[in-house]
């Protein structure tokens, strides 16, 4: 099994690196201001991103961080095939989860990273 530290979080606006491994876009919406031909990514994992209504409710402070996390984890459970595919990939090689968010640690990415690690076990 791959070390969980081989799952990295990175902004789409940051320069890609060889150490990124497989680069997975982990946002439901395409990054504003970036052409599809300009972004260095391997796959877009829309099925593992927070649903639009959940994302909007969280960003507008209509739900707490704890409520967001609980509901997001529930939504991830409705995409077992996508989660299994990403977990299998992460077991074989480093992956980097890409997002437009400014604060990676205060986003959906750490929740997604933990769900991938859990699926690897």
């Amino acid at each position: 099994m791959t070390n969980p530290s081989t799952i990295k979080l990175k902004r789409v606006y940051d320069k890609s690196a060889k150490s990124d491994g497989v680069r997975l876009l982990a946002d439901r919406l395409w990054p504003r201001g970036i052409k599809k031909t300009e972004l260095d990514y391997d796959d877009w994992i829309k099925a593992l991103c927070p649903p639009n209504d959940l994302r909007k409710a969280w960003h507008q402070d209509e739900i707490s961080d704890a409520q967001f996390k609980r509901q997001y984890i529930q939504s991830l459970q409705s995409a077992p095939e996508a989660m299994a595919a990403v977990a299998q990939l992460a077991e074989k090689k480093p992956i980097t989860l890409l997002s437009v968010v400014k604060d990676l640690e205060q986003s959906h990415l750490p929740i997604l990273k933990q769900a991938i690690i859990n699926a690897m076990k």
Side-chain angles (χ1 to χ4, degrees), residues 81-98:
E81 300 87 8
M83 180 58 72
V86 173
Q88 287 173 354
L89 189 61
E91 287 174 351
K92 296 180 181 123
K93 51 184 79 169
I95 65 169
T96 298
L97 302 174
L98 303 170

Side-chain angles (χ1 to χ4, degrees), residues 19-114:
S19 62
D20 290 348
V22 180
R23 294 169 53 89
L24 303 174
L25 179 59
D27 280 332
R28 175 89 42 189
L29 304 174
W30 186 260
R32 196 175 280 161
I34 297 180
K35 293 180 184 165
K36 289 198 167 132
T37 55
E38 291 175 352
L39 183 61
D40 180 13
Y41 74 109
D42 297 296
D43 201 2
W44 188 2
I45 54 173
K46 273 193 215 181
L48 298 179
C49 298
N52 284 331
D53 56 340
L54 179 60
R55 182 181 53 78
K56 286 178 185 173
W58 190 42
H59 287 296
Q60 295 168 356
D61 291 325
E62 294 169 8
I63 60 173
S64 69
D65 290 353
Q67 288 171 306
F68 172 79
K69 183 175 182 177
R70 187 173 56 255
Q71 290 179 37
Y72 180 35
I73 289 169
Q74 284 176 335
S75 78
L76 289 173
Q77 292 167 351
S78 67
E81 300 87 8
M83 180 58 72
V86 173
Q88 287 173 354
L89 189 61
E91 287 174 351
K92 296 180 181 123
K93 51 184 79 169
I95 65 169
T96 298
L97 302 174
L98 303 170
S99 178
V100 298
V101 298
K102 288 185 176 91
D103 186 347
L104 295 171
E105 293 305 319
Q106 294 299 315
S107 73
H108 66 288
L109 293 181
I111 301 167
L112 178 56
K113 176 180 176 177
Q114 188 58 54

